[in-house]
Amino acid sequence: MTDLLGFWSYVHADDELDGGRATQLGRDIVGHYEAAKDEAIKLFLDDDDLHWGDQWRDQIDDALSNVAFFIPVITPRYFGRVECRRELQFFADRAEQLHISELILPILY
């Protein structure tokens, strides 16, 4: 069975300021979902899925092209970050092309 794929979008500075809690929240959501549904889920989290030397933008775009849902972690700085806006717009444009609108699941953090 193929894992359900999602994308976790957040501001690194907010995560660092908060001791890594935003990235840990993403990992916790995966664990709790799997425990509740007894079903695998995969969440693209750049801290876990990107490695030194990776072509990070290509990796992100590839992930955004293949995920079923997008979770932006909305903080006061989120929309001020070019890359966060780009990720959200990339996914929203793809969802619109597929005529699907319920795939963006924001978290107000």
Side-chain angles (χ1 to χ4, degrees):
M1 181 171 118
T2 303
D3 294 349
L4 184 60
L5 302 173
F7 190 95
W8 190 258
S9 177
Y10 64 101
V11 175
H12 282 254
D14 293 333
D15 188 46
E16 290 169 12
L17 178 67
D18 214 11
R21 288 188 182 106
T23 52
Q24 189 57 50
L25 177 61
R27 293 178 193 115
D28 290 346
I29 287 172
V30 168
H32 286 282
Y33 179 89
E34 290 177 350
K37 298 290 188 177
D38 193 25
E39 185 176 313
I41 189 172
K42 170 74 174 116
L43 193 59
F44 181 91
L45 182 60
D46 61 358
D47 272 3
D48 295 342
D49 294 305
L50 294 178
H51 307 286
W52 183 257
D54 283 349
Q55 298 294 322
W56 64 270
R57 176 138 316 142
D58 292 340
Q59 296 268 87
I60 287 173
D61 288 351
D62 184 56
L64 287 167
S65 295
N66 293 295
V67 296
F69 61 94
F70 182 89
I71 302 175
V73 180
I74 307 297
T75 61
R77 294 192 261 198
Y78 186 84
F79 291 106
R81 296 299 193 267
V82 172
E83 193 60 26
C84 290
R85 289 192 318 267
R86 191 189 79 77
E87 291 168 358
L88 178 59
Q89 191 63 56
F90 187 109
F91 183 83
D93 290 346
R94 182 176 159 271
E96 185 178 335
Q97 290 171 354
L98 297 172
H99 304 291
I100 302 169
S101 61
E102 292 85 19
L103 300 177
I104 297 176
L105 310 164
I107 294 178
L108 299 178
Y109 189 82

